[in-house]
Amino acid sequence: MGRIFGSLSAGAARPDPAELAAVSARQRHGGPDEHQVLRGPGWSLGCDRLAVTDPLGGRQPYRLAHLPGVTAVLDGQIYNHAELRRELAARGHRFPDLCDGTLLPALYAEYGTGFARRLDGMFAVAVLDVRASPRLVLAADPMGLKPLHYHQGADGAFRFASEIPALLAFDGVRTAPRADSLDTVLALRTPISARTALEGISVLPPGATAVVHPGRPAALRRRPPGQDAPERPRPATADVLRREVRRLARADVPVCVLTSGGLASGLVTALAAEYAREDGAPAPHTFHLTHRGRRPDPEAAQARAAARHARTVHHEVALDPAELGSLLTRTVRHLGQPSADPAAPGTYALFRAVRQAGYSVALTGDGADELFGASARIRPAGPAPFVADWAAAYTDGLAAAPRLLREYLYTPAYRDFIAEEGSAADRVERELRSAGGDRLTAITAFETRWRLPGRLRRTDHLGMASAVEARMPFCRPAVAEHARSLAPRRLQDRRALAEAGRELLPGAVLKRPGRPFALPVTAMLVPGGPLLEPVRELLSAERLARAGQVRPDRVRTLLARQLERPSDHDALALWALATHELWSEVVRGMHVPVDCAA
């Protein structure tokens, strides 16, 4: 586990160690336990390690004495490493420790560029093979749980890193915000495709492998899924989830649970506590985020109810509104991309508290809504004949600012640019309409292929900002496949999850949808509220005029309306504008050394 980085070029010069040290420093917060970097003619490979599996072993980059020339680094966890180790040992390979990533050079030696198909886990892997003609092989897990960003320069040099700020510390990486990044944030809240908000920087897609040769474009391909399992009676949802929670709750370091008070995180809490009791282990600790001065807080009450029912040791983390200004800056810096999701700062604060309590692994309920079709976003896309244009209705539900408000705020020049280039919202609508099948199938496919990986990357970045590994039972392949196998469901059908929790959770939690650890932006963006001055400063006329994308007078009108008649819609639009402006300023400073540790 940890953060990884590296480079490959056609030149014979060894990368500058000072440059590599700067790259590592930008993401050292995610791997504070050990740092190592190797370099050779035209290549480098490094890791900042978070010691989770076999903490005393597992030195990265991984090398095996009997396989000179093959080196690997790993960000993530390989859950089937014991089985793979036995298989590889039977083929003559020997390993110095029990760390999951130590087997990667041997696995690559046996299976070549197809090695990642044998891995079960959440991972971003890089393997450097210099035995003949040098090549670099990158692989991401099927759900996109671990991010890997890359850039290929005009000279063909290829560079990668787990985090965008680290990638920007390479001397050869020069970029700028994409011109359509503001429209993407207002229309979708954050970039969700493999293309990031920065020119020339991409993220390796879920389930993809990239093969890079010096000076040549990377060859990117999606790995085919594994073989279909034989037909068996469909297991109960609770049993599938129980097996995966138990698998992810095993670690060589303490594991806690994040609970929002909703059904999905409540299920993970109950099953983790059940496993601890049966294993004779102490009751797990659960963590919930609340906000000082916010009353009432029904999510906190629901989280307490789930914790009491499961008999966990429960912690409430109270966020101080006075900290919001600095918290927002840290969050934006760690994400590396603009995000208008009010859950981001709270998620960062919660993981920080988890680390301060002594935990480096946390179970979460992420992914349940997308996989089981229970998201409130799909309510507007209800069944015909009630919604004629369901694709547009769904896409509007993603937006931080509705289409008409976006067009009202844009300058004429920016409005014309978006009309010519195409809006992010238009691209989503086209994909939904071209998917075929019923609307729930189309929406679920879109959410799991594009939107969910983007949200999982956010969770990863904000957890690793405090050196906490987030493990997500709902995003395990077995759970995802089970969700796809269920009979066709109505939009917002939560029956499978509710049935799974019937014997595990109190009735009040069963009936309540989960909510993220989001800031109450509307309540905080009012006269005297803690967000007012930071947002007002970020949306000053001088700043907005420099960018030339929105009209300062109309933003001022929108803010005045929010202060007079607070509303969720106006508050979210202002929040999106402010976070994009802050990101634009932060990213301009990422080409010089920036202390990302917080």
Side-chain angles (χ1 to χ4, degrees):
M1 188 68 186
R3 287 325 211 188
I4 62 176
F5 59 94
S7 61
L8 183 65
S9 68
R14 292 173 178 262
D16 181 7
E19 175 188 2
L20 299 176
V23 174
S24 172
R26 290 275 185 93
Q27 54 186 25
R28 187 74 56 82
H29 45 262
D33 297 327
E34 187 179 0
H35 163 71
Q36 181 74 20
V37 61
L38 301 175
R39 60 194 184 97
W43 62 264
S44 66
L45 207 59
C47 177
D48 299 289
R49 188 190 182 202
L50 175 62
V52 172
T53 302
D54 191 10
L56 299 181
R59 288 180 60 88
Q60 295 203 51
Y62 301 112
R63 282 179 158 180
L64 296 175
H66 65 286
L67 289 173
V70 179
T71 309
V73 287
L74 164 69
D75 177 13
Q77 292 291 316
I78 299 170
Y79 299 122
N80 64 335
H81 67 95
E83 300 97 302
L84 290 174
R85 186 178 291 104
R86 288 192 295 270
E87 172 191 323
L88 293 167
R91 297 186 178 211
H93 296 282
R94 296 293 177 262
F95 306 99
D97 54 50
L98 298 178
C99 187
D100 53 345
T102 305
L103 57 80
L104 287 170
L107 193 70
Y108 170 83
E110 293 290 338
Y111 296 100
T113 59
F115 76 96
R117 292 196 66 190
R118 304 299 307 277
L119 299 177
D120 177 16
M122 59 174 186
F123 56 84
V125 177
V127 178
L128 179 71
D129 184 355
V130 296
R131 292 175 298 181
S133 175
R135 73 174 177 184
L136 180 68
V137 182
L138 310 178
D141 67 75
M143 297 295 289
L145 290 156
K146 301 301 293 184
L148 201 58
H149 301 90
Y150 64 90
H151 174 275
Q152 192 147 23
D155 60 352
F158 185 93
R159 300 171 178 90
F160 71 91
S162 297
E163 300 188 11
I164 288 177
L167 184 58
L168 295 180
F170 278 107
D171 291 341
V173 176
R174 287 293 177 265
T175 185
R178 293 184 58 87
D180 63 353
S181 64
L182 176 62
D183 178 73
T184 299
V185 169
L186 292 180
L188 303 179
R189 306 194 190 192
T190 191
I192 59 175
S193 69
R195 187 178 72 176
T196 73
L198 292 169
E199 293 284 357
I201 292 180
S202 300
V203 61
L204 195 62
T209 295
V211 180
V212 186
H213 294 274
R216 287 155 52 183
L220 188 70
R221 67 176 184 271
R222 295 264 189 160
R223 298 189 299 275
Q227 293 182 344
D228 293 334
E231 288 290 333
R232 296 190 182 98
R234 183 182 297 126
T237 301
D239 291 337
V240 177
L241 188 59
R242 176 178 285 110
R243 183 170 58 249
E244 299 305 329
V245 167
R246 293 181 176 212
R247 193 170 203 183
L248 271 59
R250 301 186 193 111
D252 295 336
V253 296
V255 178
C256 68
V257 185
L258 307 188
T259 177
S260 67
L263 175 55
S265 65
L267 277 167
V268 175
T269 298
L271 292 170
E274 176 189 88
Y275 172 62
R277 287 192 296 271
E278 293 180 4
D279 197 45
H285 287 234
T286 49
F287 290 81
H288 174 80
L289 183 77
T290 187
H291 306 96
R292 293 182 188 174
R294 185 186 177 196
R295 295 292 186 273
D297 190 351
E299 287 80 18
Q302 296 303 124
R304 285 194 296 269
R308 279 196 306 269
H309 196 81
R311 302 196 297 278
T312 69
V313 180
H314 192 57
H315 306 263
E316 288 187 1
V317 179
L319 179 62
D320 185 355
E323 189 191 5
L324 285 177
S326 63
L327 186 65
L328 180 58
T329 300
R330 293 173 185 176
T331 300
V332 168
R333 187 174 294 158
H334 282 293
L335 289 176
Q337 292 209 78
S339 173
D341 195 326
T347 303
Y348 172 90
L350 185 60
F351 278 119
R352 182 182 60 183
V354 164
R355 181 66 179 189
Q356 290 170 348
Y359 291 90
S360 54
V361 176
L363 303 181
T364 82
D366 288 88
D369 283 354
E370 291 84 354
L371 292 167
F372 286 86
S375 172
R377 286 180 306 281
I378 63 180
R379 183 185 299 117
F386 302 105
V387 179
D389 192 347
W390 61 270
Y394 166 80
T395 306
D396 284 345
L398 298 177
R403 185 182 296 269
L404 290 178
L405 179 56
R406 298 197 298 271
E407 294 177 352
Y408 168 79
L409 293 172
Y410 292 163
T411 61
Y414 193 62
R415 191 185 306 119
D416 291 344
F417 168 78
I418 294 300
E420 181 176 348
E421 293 293 315
S423 169
D426 295 334
R427 292 192 289 272
V428 171
E429 287 183 35
R430 285 197 298 271
E431 178 165 342
L432 290 170
R433 293 192 181 101
S434 64
D438 65 274
R439 65 188 62 182
L440 178 58
T441 300
I443 290 173
T444 301
F446 169 80
E447 293 227 334
T448 53
R449 182 179 181 185
W450 293 118
R451 188 184 174 279
L452 178 59
R455 194 161 74 82
L456 298 179
R457 288 193 292 270
R458 184 196 72 196
T459 300
D460 174 81
H461 284 307
L462 298 178
M464 292 296 279
S466 297
V468 177
E469 172 188 310
R471 295 186 176 183
M472 309 170 195
F474 281 100
C475 294
R476 295 285 297 138
V479 178
E481 181 58 35
H482 175 75
R484 287 190 289 266
S485 74
L486 296 175
R489 297 150 286 161
R490 298 169 301 178
L491 294 175
Q492 283 195 285
D493 192 346
R494 302 166 67 242
R495 288 176 296 180
L497 296 184
E499 181 63 31
R502 197 172 307 281
E503 302 298 326
L504 297 168
L505 296 170
V509 176
L510 287 174
K511 298 173 184 176
R512 189 173 188 85
R515 289 180 172 82
F517 303 105
L519 293 178
V521 173
T522 305
M524 292 183 170
L525 193 54
V526 295
L531 283 179
L532 178 56
E533 288 310 312
V535 168
R536 181 176 282 165
E537 180 181 351
L538 287 166
L539 300 182
S540 68
E542 295 76 15
R543 288 185 172 185
L544 297 179
R546 281 198 299 268
Q549 295 176 324
V550 296
R551 293 182 52 171
D553 58 327
R554 293 189 173 179
V555 174
R556 186 167 57 248
T557 299
L558 182 65
L559 179 57
R561 187 170 73 187
Q562 166 66 16
L563 297 180
E564 182 179 348
R565 297 186 304 277
S567 76
D568 292 343
H569 291 95
D570 289 350
L572 183 58
L574 290 162
W575 172 260
L577 289 165
T579 54
H580 183 270
E581 177 62 25
L582 178 59
W583 170 79
S584 299
E585 294 189 359
V586 167
V587 80
R588 282 195 291 270
M590 285 183 180
H591 287 299
V592 297
V594 174
D595 181 10
C596 287

